[in-house]
Each structure stands twice: as structure tokens, then as C-alpha cells.
Amino acid sequence: MIAKRFFALRALRWSSGFVLLCGLIWGLQARPIFAQQPVAGWQPFANPPGRIRLLAQDATNQTLYAVFVSAVRRDADLTQWRDRGVPHKSHALYLSTDRGVTWQPASNNLVHGAITALYADSTSHSVFAGLHETGDETTRRDGLWRSDDNGAHWRQVNLERNDLNIRRITSNADNTLLLFGAIGGDRYPSSYVYTSRDEGKSWQSVEVLRFEDGPTHLLRDLAAHPKDPNRLFMTTYGGDLYGSTDGGATWARSSLPSTLQDAEAGPALLAIDPARPELMLLARNLGNGPEAQMVIARSQDGGASWRRAAPGGLPERGEIVSLTATGGGYLLSAGAGSYRSTDQGATWQPLEGALSGGSVATFLPLAGSPRTIIAAGGYGLFVSRDGGGLWQSLGSGLPANLSLVGLLTDARQPGVIFGVPEQSPFVEAAKPPALLRSSDGGRTWMAAAQGLADVQPGAWALDAADPNTVFIAAEGAFSRSANGGLTWEVTPLPPGPRTAMALALSDPNVLYLGGYPLLRSDDRGATWQSAPVKVATQEQQSNNVTGIVVDPVDARHLWASMEGGIYESLNAGAAWSRAGLDDQPVRWLSGVVKPGDNGVTLTVYAGVDGQGIYRRDANAPAWTPVNAGLPADSTFLSLQGDPENPDALWTNRDGGGLYRSLDGGESWASIGGALGDNLVTALAVDPRGGVRVLAATATAGIWGESAPTAASTVRGSQGTQDRVTPAVDARIEILWPHDWASVGEAQQANLSLRLFQPGSLLPLACTWSPDVTIWQATNNEPAAPIGRAEQRSVEGAPFPVWELNDVDISAANDPDTKLYFMTRVAGADSATAVWAHAADARTFLPFPAQPSGIASPAALRAVDSYIQIVWPHDEAGQPQPTESAPLANVAVAVFDHGTRLSVPASWRPKGITLYGAWDNEIARPLARQATVQMKTAGAITYPTWEFANIPVERAGDTGSKLYLWVMVEGVETYPAIWSHGADARTIFPATDQPIQGCLP
């Protein structure tokens, strides 16, 4: 029976008396892994929440919307992330109907791309989104998108251009004017303001800035006066302010104090007090980046004049991220933290607790509750119910997938975990704190970076003498906290990245930092001296130090790795000699200390790019590869040792995979099967016992490994690993003809698809690998299965993409022939999207299928459903062309499968449903009620079913098309597909990316 629903390290540092891990380069995106042996149990923890980019509220029905952002790898086939992968953002829309307490995915039917703006209009109850980079130059659909059903389904607003990067969508004071600000044009972009006075049905545009005005004179933000419906404001990336007094028709530049001018001024942000709109603040940077000077200007006459303020309490430097007026004050966020002012911006206090570190992308005061504010930032959602004084975490149901590139634990503090978040590589994405801390074994997390400079950590460690002392090294700065991250001391460093750190066990005052040049401190990081690696007076200036290991009994004896091999110093870096792996790209070094007959011995491990792991035993100058059981030609990101068992090691592979050795590296076994395709970015031992190792993943949070058993059961927030997913959305992401031949010439094609949990961009359970079948319909004939899609694998491990190769598409060489492809998933209530392949994929009025006889009711075990006619019409029932008809009627006939024998006139199914899929969206039921009409073909009388008044208005957009088919309940159905639209071809869409890694 066919299912009813037929629709779609950085450097890792762990500090104890036994192991020092140094110089590890990290990656971001999950990769396939090997089948595990032996079985290990894995459990995802309550992880730090991920980035929220945007918030919007429909003030009438109190619905909240949030844009969740995940960093993913564009090409999942790449096995070496560091060298070849290209990261980009995966965005997903979530909604809440209880003021942000709980959230759920809104849909996965919004074209994949970066969501740059979001607005919920309380007048039309429509949601508007700005999308950017939704395809390549030929398929781009950037611009304004609209949903009239709370974000479940979307259509592009026809603005007669597809290259707009929308920065802000809003409305004026009395909600009579919708407007958005955008940048348009690739090479010489201009800035535009679009306005609509009919709830978004039609739009007018004004070009307000041209590229010739200056490359930084581009629209950054748009704001409406809270009282005057005709007054609007615009800020630019160059720090300027413009105003309009006629609803956006004309604009004039405001005069700002000369002390706010700077040749390299950063973007300007404006906040207007809603209770006293004559009070305004303008925040901007003088200069760019974290070292830019922060300045504030104040207006007390509604923007007519401005004076530079001298605000107390704000740091002098930092990159301003957001500025919001709350009615009782102002909230400002910069890269290193967030601040509150209750005296018109004269003085500021840093926010404590949850928002004490990191940046906030937006503060949203809730309508109807002026003292309730929701903050969306680099590590989740937070709420204040007292105007911004106290903040609490919020947002059950949002993905908890902040990518951590470092984990720190210590046996002297069981339950305490420090996490080092991956800092955003994307412009205008809010950054998480430089450090997070959990005091309850990973269940809850707090920022541990108050006052810490806006840094991107490159190396980190816990002090071997004091587990409350944390060290963080970044480009240009070394930071030390003696109280677990509550306060920090920052010491300047020479320019350059710092990707390795090592502490001397024999002398806790001695630290070494990698990068170029190598640095040494004899006073726990208060001062630093250069110790560049030199061999035969030739300084190795071309390579940074990527890893360091210090002799556990001699703080002056150390090894350093670089891209050209390993070097040894016996005198704290004053002189160096080659120590093996010459001319090899060594990525990291790790030292494991073991008890020996005369004290302790040191074994050093090295990770070599593309060559696995090498080992140098105590007092042995040779390096030996230790790769038995590891995939060949691989790169490994880090090595983690067990302080209770020096022979126990874990390593994570670049591209995916987690492995364990119980004999010091002599042999390895895969232990990450239950992790699915999640990429492990950092490792640490859990000192509480029971769970042996903690694994941070790129997009699925932190997992804990229990002791291996013969039959482990993996449980998590989504159930057990062998549960059957009850429903699934299936979307063909691409069908590409071999050699990219044209439709008229291509003989074969490959296609690939993804499966998601219903209505979301969430992947399926890690270990669920269903049977996926591709169905094809030719012209108006019923669809039939053409092959089973095989799940992609890397080194034998499953990856969440299914493929069917060498599909015969030669029939479409005939310009009158259309091919339609859809998906079914065995054992699941499956929904599908449709891919059309043809020179012209529209269904023109065909000859309706005529019966040659009547089938016996007892023989009906499978049926073919033929759509006989789709006729578009207006509200009065008058026929209209496809481009202008808001409604359509759909008639269908049902035949015994594989015959022209109609079902009898008296036959009635348990149910009959018309399904429709717009564009590349997942299909949904359009109607379940149909009128039975009797037709006559010669002497044969047979039934048809007519679905009336189906909404098809979207087909008026030349970029939209609707695929229709009918499923009959209680009997296996082979449906014909009807395409309705001005152009029904599937033009390569932007491919979807899961917003989160898989869970059990």
C-alpha cells in the first residue's frame, strides 16, 4: 500500500597532569563516518543553543518568528574541509505562539538562501522575508518573499528584478505604509526604498543612493518614526543618516557633527524612543573591525540637530552590532558584550549573566508588554521582563547546535565544561561569547567572557596548577582568567595567528604559544619573549608553529611542529634542530605521559595532513605511522588521551569519523557509528565517569560516549536509533543531465535528493536508512517507479543524500514530451516535491483518457488516477487564462491500474485527495472533497471526481508553477501529474541544507 502522505579545532586543549594537546586545525561540516566496531553508546547533551539572526512579531496574534542560522559545508562530497570546503549559511524559519517559550519549524518551503530581513505585518497578517543568494546568476530569485499562512508556504513578490539584497522590512507609524530598504545591482549597486499602500499587493521604488555617491554610501538600515506616519529614516554603511518627510518619496542627508566623520567610518544604527520620539541615538564606529572606536550621537529635537555624546560605561573600542530603544531606555550590543542605558544614553551598564559576553543581533520589545524584551544573538534567545535588567534563556524547540571547536575539562572539577564556540565567519552574523561554561555537566551554559576583548580564539588551555584559571590566545592578544571566566586580564601579543599552546608540567609559570614567531612566557602569560624556530641560522619564516609539546620533567625541552616538519629545542627555544617528518605538513602535536621505571616517559603523536598519525616513543628518534584501522590518506583534527589509561586514545577525522585506540595507537576502531554524518570538532574526557569522552560536533551539539556494550541503545531527544520516522519530506535537489547536455540532446541524467522531518530542514535520525524510490510520469500518463535511490556513502558510512544515477531522459528530446519525477519512502508517511524536465513542461489540454470498459470491483487492488482537465476561472466562474485566474477546477478519472477499465459508476473510495506542489516545494493536500459526476463514452457510463475552486493565483507569477495529482485512499495509486503555470520547468533551485546535524 502506498503511504497516504505522498507529498517531501581549532586547537583543542585539555589540561591535566597527563596530556597536552596542541596545534589542531578544525573543520565545520558533518561528514560520513565508518561503520562502528565495537558498538558504543552515544547520548546528545543539552547543548548551547545556536545563532538567531532575526526576530519578528505579529502584534495582533502575538506570533513570533525567528531566523535560525547554521554554518554548513556547501559540497558534502569534500573529504578535506580545511583545504577544499566552502562554508555558507543555512537559514531556517521558526515560529512561536506562546511569546517565545516554545518554538517549532515554520516550514521548509521557503527557497533556500540567506534570510536578510523579516517582518510580520499585523495589518495583512502576512510574513515578509528578504532572501539573498538563492541561486546562481541564471536562477537567482533574490528579493521579497511573502507568506499568507504563518510561514508555511511562500511566493516571491514580483518586483520585476531578482537581485535585491533587502536590509530591512517595516511599516510606518499608522501601518498604512509597508516599506523595505534594499541594495540592488552586483557591480555598481544602488540603494532603493520600496513602498506599498495596499498591504504589499503593489510596490513603488525610489532610488535613494547611487554607487557613484561612494562605495560605502549603501543602505544599512531603515526605520520609521513611531508617531509621524510620513517620517522615515535611513542609515548607511558609511555612517550617514538620511530622512524623509513624505513617506519615502524624497530623502535628505542629515547634518551630523564633524567629530563623527571618519574616512573609514562603519555602519550607523539609529534608535528612536517610542515614548518620546524627539529623543534619538545614533551609534557608529570610526574605523572598522574590533579595534574601531565606538561613538554615540544624541538628538533631542527629533533628528533636526545632533551632538556627540560622551557615554560613560561603554568600552572605547568594539564593533557595534545592534542598537534598540525600549521605551524605558536603550540597549546596545558590540562584539564583546551588551550594554543598557536608562538615562538617554549618558551612562551604560554591561548586561550580566546570560548576555555578559558575545553579541546580540537584535533586541525585540514585545508589543503590548513594553518591559518584555527578547534578545537574539550568537548563542540563542534570551528574555528580560524588567526592561533589560535581568535575562533568562528562552526558546525550547530551537536547534541547540552552536558549533564548539574546543572543549576543556579537568578531573578536579567534575561536571564543569568549558566550550570554545566557533566564531562566525559571516558578515553581520552575531558572534557567540569567546568562552562558555557549564557547571552541570553540559545541561545549561552561560557566557564566561564578560569584559573579554572581541577575539577569535586560536588556542586555549586550563592551567595545570589551577583548573579555574583559563588561558585563551588569539591574534594580537593573550587573555587569562583566574576565576573561571568571570573577569579577564588581556596582554597584547605581536600580530599573527596563535594556533597552539602548551603548558610546562614541571614549571606552571612557563607557557609556550605557537604561530609566528613562537612565544615563551616565564610568568604565566604576563610577559612574552620571542623564540623563533631557527635551524642552521635559517629562520623558518614561511610557516607558523602548529603544535607544541613540552617535556614533562624539563620546561626548557620542547618540540614544535610546522608545515615543514618537526623541530626540537633543549634550551627553551634559543636553538633548534630538526626532529623528523622533514618537509611534511604537520598539523598538530600531542604528548602523552606514562609512568616509567625512572619516573615518567613521554610519547609524542603528530597529525600529518593526508597521512594520518605518527608516533615517536620515548628516547626513540624515529617517527612511526600508527594508522592500523584508520582510513587511508586521511587528516585527523586532534588526539585526546585518557588520564586514567595512557594507552587509551581518541581521534576525530577531517571529513567525519571518530576512532579509539586502547593500545597507544597500534590499532584503531571506529566508535562513531551512532553519530551519523556529524563532524566531530573537539574532544575531551568527562571526569565524572560513566561517560568516557565528550565529542563536540559541527551542527549537532555535544555527545557523550558511554562504555561500549554488545547491544547499546542510543537514546536522545528524538527517541531511539531504531525508531521508524512516521513522516518525511522528500525533495529532489538536483537533476543534472550527463555532460550538462541540453534537454534536446541529453540521454541520461543523475538526480539527488534529501529527506527532512516534516515541515522543517531537520534531518532524519542518524541511523535511519529507508528505502527511497524514484517515480517518473511521462506526459499525462500515470507515474511509475523507475529505480531505488541509493544512499550516498563515504568510506562505507551513510550520508544523508540519496542518489539515482543514469536515469534515461532521452524521451524529453522530443519537445512535446515532458518528464516528471517524484519520490516515495517505504515505511513512512512521505511527502514529495516534483521535478519537471522538458523543453516546455506545461500540460496543454490533452485528450481526456477514455475508458474501454468497466473493471470488476473485486479486482481493484491498484488504480491509475488521470487528471482529465484543469480549467482556470475567476470568482464568478468565468474562464480565465493561467496568468490571471485566481481559481481552477480539477477533474479526475480513476482506472484499474495498467488498463483503460474505469472503476464502476457505483464505486466510491474511502477518500480521494487532490495534492499540489508549488515550484520545488513539498506538496500538500489542496482538497479532500470532490463532486462525483457521471460521464459517457459511447455505451460506457463511468464516474469522475471534480475538485472545485482550487486556489491557483500564484501561477500568475511567471516564476511559479503548480504540479497536481490525485491519490485514492484504501488502494495503491499510480497518479498522473498535471503542471499548471506559465513556465512549468524546474530551473535548478538553490539546494537545501539541513539546519542541524542528525540526532538519534
Side-chain angles (χ1 to χ4, degrees):
M1 184 70 65
I2 297 300
K4 295 179 184 177
R5 197 166 165 266
F6 186 29
F7 332 23
L9 274 168
R10 229 63 168 156
L12 170 65
R13 302 289 181 275
W14 180 83
S15 177
S16 76
F18 295 92
V19 183
L20 294 175
L21 299 178
C22 306
L24 313 184
I25 307 299
W26 58 280
L28 286 177
Q29 166 69 4
R31 291 287 307 164
I33 55 176
F34 287 72
Q36 66 175 26
Q37 181 66 30
V39 176
W42 288 93
Q43 177 183 358
F45 285 14
N47 301 290
R51 293 182 178 89
I52 308 296
R53 170 73 174 86
L54 299 166
L55 287 175
Q57 179 190 19
D58 186 325
T60 302
N61 59 24
Q62 299 297 306
T63 302
L64 291 174
Y65 299 89
V67 174
F68 189 91
V69 182
S70 176
V72 298
R73 186 163 33 187
R74 185 178 300 277
D75 188 342
D77 283 327
L78 299 177
T79 57
Q80 298 300 318
W81 161 257
R82 173 174 174 258
D83 296 330
R84 299 170 59 192
V86 179
H88 75 145
K89 286 178 286 190
S90 179
H91 287 193
L93 186 67
Y94 280 71
L95 65 86
S96 170
T97 57
D98 55 9
R99 302 173 69 84
V101 177
T102 60
W103 294 80
Q104 63 184 12
S107 76
N108 61 352
N109 274 338
L110 182 60
V111 171
H112 193 75
I115 302 175
T116 59
L118 187 69
Y119 183 69
D121 181 31
S122 298
T123 302
S124 64
H125 298 296
S126 297
V127 186
F128 294 89
L131 263 70
H132 188 51
E133 298 179 349
T134 61
D136 59 26
E137 292 182 358
T138 60
T139 65
R140 177 185 293 179
R141 301 189 69 184
D142 291 359
L144 186 67
W145 289 71
R146 175 175 186 159
S147 172
D148 297 319
D149 55 5
N150 297 323
H153 297 86
W154 294 82
R155 60 186 175 89
Q156 188 173 19
V157 177
N158 185 11
L159 300 171
E160 299 183 352
R161 61 185 303 169
N162 293 323
D163 63 344
L164 291 176
N165 181 356
I166 297 177
R167 309 307 306 153
R168 174 74 70 179
I169 310 169
T170 187
S171 62
N172 67 346
D174 61 3
N175 293 321
T176 59
L177 183 71
L178 271 174
L179 63 151
F180 69 83
I183 300 170
D186 292 327
R187 188 172 183 182
Y188 302 108
S190 291
S191 298
Y192 302 87
V193 172
Y194 281 71
T195 58
S196 172
R197 293 189 180 275
D198 55 8
E199 299 182 354
K201 296 182 178 63
S202 62
W203 294 84
Q204 297 76 43
S205 68
V206 174
E207 184 181 26
V208 293
L209 290 173
R210 296 182 302 167
F211 182 83
E212 289 80 1
D213 297 327
T216 62
H217 292 178
L218 295 172
L219 184 148
R220 167 62 175 86
D221 205 357
L222 196 64
H225 192 281
K227 301 293 184 182
D228 187 343
N230 293 314
R231 293 196 66 191
L232 306 171
F233 300 90
M234 177 183 68
T235 61
T236 74
Y237 279 95
D240 294 320
L241 175 66
Y242 289 77
S244 172
T245 58
D246 54 12
T250 60
W251 294 82
R253 184 177 180 180
S254 298
S255 177
L256 296 176
S258 60
T259 54
L260 269 71
Q261 305 304 316
D262 186 272
E264 296 183 355
L269 297 173
L270 178 70
I272 308 172
D273 189 330
R276 300 174 60 190
E278 69 275 10
L279 299 178
M280 300 181 181
L281 288 187
L282 185 77
R284 66 184 299 189
N285 287 119
L286 298 184
N288 292 290
E291 294 303 311
Q293 183 181 2
M294 296 200 306
V295 297
I296 303 290
R298 181 189 299 115
S299 174
Q300 296 181 315
D301 53 14
S305 63
W306 293 85
R307 296 185 62 184
R308 180 170 176 175
L314 281 181
E316 181 180 351
R317 300 187 180 277
E319 195 167 9
I320 298 172
V321 178
S322 60
L323 176 68
T324 304
T326 65
Y330 294 89
L331 293 166
L332 181 147
S333 181
S338 299
Y339 304 84
R340 179 193 186 202
S341 174
T342 57
D343 56 5
Q344 303 176 24
T347 60
W348 298 79
Q349 301 79 40
L351 299 184
E352 299 178 353
L355 297 181
S356 62
S359 57
V360 174
T362 183
F363 294 97
L364 177 67
L366 294 189
S369 182
R371 293 185 62 78
T372 300
I373 306 165
I374 296 181
Y379 68 119
L381 284 183
F382 301 89
V383 62
S384 171
R385 295 181 174 87
D386 62 359
L390 298 176
W391 295 86
Q392 299 173 324
S393 61
L394 188 72
S396 173
L398 291 170
N401 69 348
L402 181 66
S403 181
L404 298 178
V405 295
L407 291 175
L408 295 169
T409 61
D410 194 287
R412 293 165 291 179
Q413 291 193 117
V416 175
I417 305 172
F418 290 95
V420 182
E422 173 261 331
Q423 299 296 310
S424 172
F426 305 113
V427 176
E428 296 179 0
K431 295 181 180 179
L435 188 69
L436 292 168
R437 175 183 174 129
S438 174
S439 298
D440 52 14
R443 289 190 294 274
T444 59
W445 295 83
M446 292 290 291
Q450 183 169 349
L452 187 62
D454 184 12
V455 299
Q456 297 194 23
W460 41 85
L462 294 181
D463 191 344
D466 178 10
N468 261 323
T469 297
V470 188
F471 302 115
I472 290 179
E475 183 168 357
F478 176 82
S479 303
R480 176 178 58 190
S481 173
N483 50 19
L486 295 179
T487 59
W488 291 85
E489 299 175 12
V490 180
T491 302
L493 293 177
R498 298 294 161 188
T499 56
M501 183 188 304
L503 289 72
L505 296 180
S506 62
D507 186 346
N509 291 315
V510 175
L511 286 78
Y512 292 92
L513 284 183
Y516 180 82
L518 184 85
L519 297 178
R520 172 192 168 101
S521 173
D522 294 323
D523 51 15
R524 295 164 60 82
T527 60
W528 294 88
Q529 301 82 42
S530 173
V533 177
K534 297 180 180 179
V535 178
T537 70
Q538 179 64 45
E539 187 171 350
Q540 307 297 310
Q541 299 187 25
S542 60
N543 292 316
N544 292 323
V545 172
T546 60
I548 311 166
V549 167
V550 184
D551 190 320
V553 297
D554 183 358
R556 297 171 56 81
H557 183 197
L558 67 153
W559 293 261
S561 64
M562 297 195 300
E563 290 290 325
I566 297 175
Y567 302 83
E568 183 178 10
S569 175
L570 300 175
N571 51 10
W576 295 86
S577 61
R578 290 188 175 273
L581 297 180
D582 293 352
D583 301 322
Q584 299 301 311
V586 183
R587 184 173 289 201
W588 50 262
L589 287 180
S590 176
V592 175
V593 179
K594 299 181 181 181
D597 295 336
N598 298 316
V600 295
T601 61
L602 175 68
T603 302
V604 182
Y605 295 85
V608 180
D609 223 0
Q611 299 180 41
I613 300 173
Y614 284 76
R615 184 181 66 197
R616 179 187 185 277
D617 292 316
N619 302 318
W623 291 87
T624 304
V626 284
N627 295 315
L630 296 175
D633 304 324
S634 291
T635 298
F636 292 88
L637 301 176
S638 66
L639 187 78
Q640 174 64 54
D642 186 345
E644 297 180 1
N645 179 4
D647 288 325
L649 304 171
W650 292 267
T651 188
N652 49 319
R653 176 178 176 264
D654 184 6
L658 184 59
Y659 302 85
R660 179 177 58 207
S661 173
L662 298 177
D663 52 17
E666 289 293 332
S667 62
W668 298 85
S670 173
I671 61 167
L675 289 170
D677 66 305
N678 289 309
L679 174 69
V680 175
T681 56
L683 295 167
V685 168
D686 188 341
R688 295 175 304 168
V691 174
R692 294 307 307 137
V693 69
L694 304 177
T697 65
T699 56
I702 301 174
W703 296 55
E705 181 218 2
S706 301
T709 62
S712 297
T713 300
V714 179
R715 294 187 178 273
S717 59
Q718 299 183 33
T720 62
Q721 67 175 16
D722 58 354
R723 73 177 179 89
V724 175
T725 300
V728 62
D729 288 350
R731 181 156 20 222
I732 296 174
E733 299 290 348
I734 190 168
L735 181 145
W736 60 276
H738 290 185
D739 301 321
W740 297 107
S742 66
V743 173
E745 298 177 347
Q747 301 298 304
Q748 292 184 320
N750 295 357
L751 63 81
S752 65
L753 62 98
R754 284 190 181 270
L755 304 180
F756 297 101
Q757 296 181 37
S760 76
L761 289 174
L762 298 173
L764 304 175
C766 291
T767 55
W768 193 58
S769 298
D771 288 335
V772 179
T773 304
I774 305 300
W775 288 52
Q776 175 185 304
T778 303
N779 297 326
N780 201 42
E781 292 301 310
I786 60 169
R788 177 186 176 191
E790 296 294 331
Q791 188 170 9
R792 183 185 298 173
S793 65
V794 175
E795 302 288 350
F799 190 80
V801 170
W802 283 257
E803 296 170 325
L804 181 63
N805 296 327
D806 303 327
V807 177
D808 184 359
I809 57 171
S810 59
N813 297 162
D814 181 347
D816 294 329
T817 298
K818 311 98 171 41
L819 303 178
Y820 307 101
F821 299 92
M822 57 191 356
T823 306
R824 295 188 181 183
V825 180
D829 185 7
S830 57
T832 184
V834 171
W835 189 288
H837 178 75
D840 185 345
R842 293 174 292 174
T843 300
F844 294 96
L845 181 65
F847 294 104
Q850 299 292 321
S852 60
I854 300 297
S856 168
L860 290 174
R861 292 179 173 81
V863 298
D864 297 334
S865 64
Y866 284 86
I867 293 180
Q868 303 285 74
I869 187 68
V870 174
W871 64 278
H873 59 82
D874 59 20
E875 288 82 352
Q878 298 300 312
Q880 297 291 328
T882 298
E883 292 79 4
S884 58
L887 302 170
N889 286 17
V890 179
V892 63
V894 180
F895 296 83
D896 187 14
H897 175 53
T899 75
R900 280 292 192 266
L901 301 179
S902 171
V903 297
S906 60
W907 185 80
R908 300 293 182 271
K910 294 180 181 179
I912 188 167
T913 303
L914 174 68
Y915 288 97
W918 283 102
D919 304 326
N920 201 45
E921 295 179 7
I922 301 298
R924 63 186 178 97
L926 299 182
R928 299 185 187 275
Q929 299 295 324
T931 302
V932 180
Q933 298 182 347
M934 294 300 165
K935 301 290 184 180
T936 300
I940 301 172
T941 300
Y942 64 98
T944 62
W945 285 259
E946 184 168 339
F947 299 90
N949 299 324
I950 304 303
V952 294
E953 184 178 9
R954 278 179 62 180
D957 178 357
T958 56
S960 289
K961 60 285 244 171
L962 175 64
Y963 303 107
L964 297 163
W965 65 92
V966 171
M967 299 298 292
V968 179
E969 186 176 346
V971 62
E972 188 171 3
T973 306
Y974 296 77
I977 298 174
W978 186 292
S979 60
H980 177 74
D983 184 349
R985 295 172 298 168
T986 300
I987 308 299
F988 294 132
T991 57
D992 298 296
Q993 297 288 345
I995 195 67
Q996 172 180 299
C998 69
L999 296 175

